[in-house]
Amino acid sequence: MVGSRFLFAIPGRVGAAVAQPFQAHAGTGSTSGTIRIISALRMVMEKRRMVPDEAMAMLDGALARLRQEAPLVHNITNQVVSNVTANALLAIGASPAMVQAEEEVGEFVRHARALVINIGTLLAPQRAAMLIAARGAKAAGIPWVLDPVAAGATAYRRSAARDLLSLGPSVLRGNAGEILALAGEAGLSRGVDSLAASTAAREAAGALARQGKGMVVAVTGATDYVTDGTTMLALSNGHPLLTRVTGTGCTATALIGAFLGAGLPPMAAAVAGLTALGVAAEDAALRATGPGSFQVALLDRLHGLEDAAMREAARITPG
Amino acid sequence: MVGSRFLFAIPGRVGAAVAQPFQAHAGTGSTSGTIRIISALRMVMEKRRMVPDEAMAMLDGALARLRQEAPLVHNITNQVVSNVTANALLAIGASPAMVQAEEEVGEFVRHARALVINIGTLLAPQRAAMLIAARGAKAAGIPWVLDPVAAGATAYRRSAARDLLSLGPSVLRGNAGEILALAGEAGLSRGVDSLAASTAAREAAGALARQGKGMVVAVTGATDYVTDGTTMLALSNGHPLLTRVTGTGCTATALIGAFLGAGLPPMAAAVAGLTALGVAAEDAALRATGPGSFQVALLDRLHGLEDAAMREAARITPG
Amino acid sequence: MVGSRFLFAIPGRVGAAVAQPFQAHAGTGSTSGTIRIISALRMVMEKRRMVPDEAMAMLDGALARLRQEAPLVHNITNQVVSNVTANALLAIGASPAMVQAEEEVGEFVRHARALVINIGTLLAPQRAAMLIAARGAKAAGIPWVLDPVAAGATAYRRSAARDLLSLGPSVLRGNAGEILALAGEAGLSRGVDSLAASTAAREAAGALARQGKGMVVAVTGATDYVTDGTTMLALSNGHPLLTRVTGTGCTATALIGAFLGAGLPPMAAAVAGLTALGVAAEDAALRATGPGSFQVALLDRLHGLEDAAMREAARITPG
């Protein structure tokens, strides 16, 4: 997936292409797509840590299960994307709740099937609420996912992300800069965002996952990587227009939360959430004439996506 | 109207249908629509507390008046839907203002023609501002409408909703769970949401309205009920896609506020607000291919809706 | 540009027309458009403070430069429009960041290329953050733009706007009521909004600019005026639908911030930002069937707009 971020949507190599008005995107089979497929095939030949069929099996019936369960997903997220996040969760079939007051999150989270924490527009009262909710989720055995937005950008964010990470999320999803910052391998997120591709953060993701005792780490970028510290998968669905709409990275995190709420294990939930968004984005781009219509079509496609179509379009390889 | 809620959009019987990708919605005449009409006709035969013509007369010229007046509507609402609320008010012809600081709401509300209070993402400073604004509206004789989002879900919400309710809103609009919670007839909103249809809250609405000295109560669901404690009306416009977009319940509340601001009495304002949204939703669904395009078309249709078309499409019966 | 405002979107003369459902808007050449052009031509004959060619030259290559630079634009804005603002910045090619905690804005702003401050839904912690960020921008030589939303509506807003203005923004953008309020020439913004056209604030804008030592002031309305205290330009692009979508005024401010971040001087950044939005709005209106589809098309057009098309469609005259 080519994830975007409301906070640091800095066009890197992919962004440079889409910052120009695009003339045509009739299909997902761009040159870079072709390169991706060739590269993926090569990886399949070379690596055998997890064969595609095993990875694909994770997606089996995931959407049907999500829609059957319609899990209540508790979000404490940033004000930029709260509307988009709720709509994406509704579109795919979950039931979003956006309760965020420190006075009530501890009571509320116990009713939820999953918790999503996103530090995008972090304020002090919200930070306190996040810690209460994460502890409550942990105590109640409710899975949760952390989106450490711009974790490396300021001291305030570094400490907030670190505190939350220490509470053991089921899944951590960030871009290369955020994952590197959390792994202590990089300082300021900005520089990393523009310089490093998500490949550069693969090692950091693996290290974080191994340290996290069962935590799954997802690094999103032109190619996404998902790892539990042992297995590493590469996901290649998505479209560059995702970088021209705010909150698509946050949407990815929320969708992972939805699949966690439907009962999928962390690795499967991460793969299903990222693949659902990536495939829906590819469909949406075919109907869009720019980022505005893309955003609309993306919600329509998340709503209309079915398991068979998702599995057929999924591009998952050993990472 | 089939109202949705950003906070607890839990598909019940209606939601179960739309959580599956929908293949076709070519018209509002679904099976459930047909059942609705037959059921409505039966109610017309059986009950005579208010004949449809009287109820319909409430809608006469309501939109023209709203657009003539372009009332300034002061909203203190939640961050998930503030953009959607403002856009819906603009689309239908009102002038939204979203001032929310406790330092200024008392001064500001005096310039407004109506006040809308929605406790969706309630935080402590906002709660204080709501109480100040509601008191100011009451003192200045400005009508106001309360949306007690998830009133029963936590102790914090129960007390906030109770405090606001004691200040005497002109209209109270909630779903069945919220109205039941406020009536002390149910505990946690979640359970109620999934189990009870809005019909179950009709008695609670009547009781609240009789207690509220002139307060009108609207319970929204597959069928909406509006009552002043004596008369009860049933409104049957709407579309299941309303449950797949966040903030449509909040939009209903804001539209009631717009009609209050245009000078309609509470009962007429509630009927006009819910009917305008329901009819616009039916039109919008004809043009939509999912919840994203539905949301866009809904704003277009609220903008384009005229009194004659609204009255022709309105389905109002004794409740 | 016909700017709108989430806070005070009170239809004046233009609004009165669009508050009615519109039947057709097949082109921007409405009667008022024709009057505008004739009026503009007359101004060109009568005034010679800046010839159109000089003004037009400001637009040369502005969009290409913005997309090349992809400047990081730090926004501290209101919760109603934060999503819209981020999306407009992404659509035109900038990189938005919405960091707003007082604990981190001083550290963060130093990484930005421009700062946008908008007091729409002002709360006390945000107000403190705005002052810290503005001081930080000033100290680091980073250009910034101020949007004094509803500056005259309450004492709280008057003082917040005054404090920020004293820190010397590069550009101040408001509607007539706000600019008049800041100039101390009027009291309550509401009354002014409905009574005064933007022409009435031209003198106030000039006075503020002369006082501001290099500050450029932009007053938006049916016609926009941009002045540095010596030169006055009138910009006449736009469409009445801009008054029926929330946050278009805030978007104008953010786009000015994007051009400041790309290195344009304040006068050129203001002209480029307002013209880009106005021209994109004219294009979008051709594809829209109401405010919902207009908003979507506006993002598409901001993304697709190129320098040649913008310059060809620009209507800039001496003011």
Side-chain angles (χ1 to χ4, degrees), chain C residues 277-306:
Chain C
L277 183 59
V279 171
E282 292 167 8
D283 291 351
L286 297 173
R287 306 164 179 224
T289 55
S293 48
F294 175 73
Q295 189 176 24
V296 171
L298 187 61
L299 287 175
D300 282 1
R301 293 314 303 149
L302 284 173
H303 184 70
L305 192 63
E306 293 183 52

Side-chain angles (χ1 to χ4, degrees), chain A residues 6-11 18-19 22 79-80 84 121-122 154-157 188 243-246 289-293 295-296, chain C residues 67 70 72 79 82-83 86-87 90-91 93-101 103-104 107-108 111 296 299-300 303-304 306:
Chain A
F6 79 96
L7 191 76
F8 281 108
I10 298 161
V18 294
F22 57 93
Q79 63 176 53
V80 181
V84 173
T121 51
L122 195 62
T154 64
Y156 187 61
R157 279 165 193 277
L188 183 70
T243 65
R244 292 289 114 195
V245 175
T246 196
T289 55
S293 47
Q295 188 177 26
V296 170
Chain C
R67 284 154 187 168
L72 179 62
Q79 63 176 53
S82 56
N83 183 269
N87 274 331
L90 282 169
S95 294
M98 325 300 279
V99 171
Q100 60 169 344
E103 291 89 346
E104 61 176 343
E107 179 183 355
F108 188 84
H111 305 303
V296 171
L299 287 175
D300 282 1
H303 184 70
E306 293 183 52

Side-chain angles (χ1 to χ4, degrees), chain B residues 83 87 90 95-97 104 300, chain C residues 7 154 157 244 246 289 292-293:
Chain B
N83 183 270
N87 274 332
L90 283 169
S95 294
E104 60 175 344
D300 281 2
Chain C
L7 190 75
T154 63
R157 279 165 194 277
R244 292 289 113 196
T246 197
T289 55
S293 48

Side-chain angles (χ1 to χ4, degrees), chain B residues 49-74:
Chain B
R49 282 183 293 192
M50 183 185 251
V51 296
D53 281 0
E54 288 172 87
M56 285 293 185
M58 286 182 179
L59 297 180
D60 261 354
L63 282 165
R65 185 166 173 181
L66 171 56
R67 284 152 186 170
Q68 175 64 30
E69 303 275 333
L72 179 63
V73 180
H74 181 184

